[in-house]
């Protein structure tokens, strides 16, 4: 029943930056792996970045060196800093949380925040 709430999206020019935020339930957050996904018009949702409950980080190849995921457990918030933005980064960005593994894992999704990169 817990929710993830994203914010920070907007309209930016190519080369610009944004910081996306995702606020979560404090009871769940510290024990959950967190991730950012995105879905562009006409395309499937894709995984962008993951940060585990232990701090391990993985990125999609196309965003390496430009995007940075982080988490603040005290604030129950995960961030995605997105820099050097390109038009192909335009998408709805979704926050995802996973607690547990395998068939017993619990998954949480946010409502999404729109990022539009255009000149």
């Amino acid at each position: 029943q817990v929710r993830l709430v994203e914010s920070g999206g907007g309209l930016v020019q190519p080369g610009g930056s944004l910081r996306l935020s995702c606020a979560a339930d404090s009871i769940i957050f510290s024990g959950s792996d967190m991730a950012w996904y995105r879905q562009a018009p006409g395309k499937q949702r894709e995984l962008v970045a993951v940060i585990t409950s232990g701090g391990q980080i993985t990125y999609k190849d196309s965003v390496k060196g430009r995007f940075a995921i982080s988490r603040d457990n005290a604030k129950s918030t995960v961030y995605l800093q997105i820099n050097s933005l390109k038009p192909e980064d335009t998408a709805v960005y979704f926050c995802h949380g996973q607690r547990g593994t395998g068939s017993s894992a619990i998954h949480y999704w946010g409502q999404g925040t729109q990022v539009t990169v255009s000149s």
Side-chain angles (χ1 to χ4, degrees):
Q1 295 185 16
V2 300
R3 291 184 173 90
L4 306 176
V5 181
E6 303 101 328
S7 62
L11 174 64
V12 297
Q13 294 188 343
S17 299
L18 291 170
R19 189 175 75 158
L20 310 182
S21 298
C22 172
D25 187 294
S26 62
I27 298 174
I28 299 298
F29 186 85
S30 63
S32 297
D33 296 343
M34 305 298 299
W36 287 94
Y37 288 74
R38 68 185 182 187
Q39 187 168 22
K43 299 184 66 177
Q44 295 182 325
R45 187 174 298 184
E46 63 180 0
L47 180 64
V48 176
V50 177
I51 183 166
T52 70
S53 61
Q56 297 172 315
I57 295 173
T58 304
Y59 295 104
K60 174 181 173 65
D61 284 345
S62 64
V63 308
K64 289 180 179 177
R66 299 190 298 120
F67 290 12
I69 190 171
S70 61
R71 62 192 295 160
D72 186 335
N73 291 340
K75 296 181 178 180
S76 298
T77 301
V78 62
Y79 304 96
L80 186 69
Q81 180 71 38
I82 55 177
N83 302 318
S84 302
L85 288 167
K86 306 173 182 179
E88 53 262 44
D89 295 319
T90 295
V92 178
Y93 284 71
F94 296 92
C95 185
H96 172 263
Q98 179 176 327
R99 187 174 182 85
T101 59
S103 61
S104 64
I106 302 173
H107 298 263
Y108 307 96
W109 288 96
Q111 82 289 350
T113 185
Q114 176 72 48
V115 172
T116 302
V117 185
S118 177
S119 60

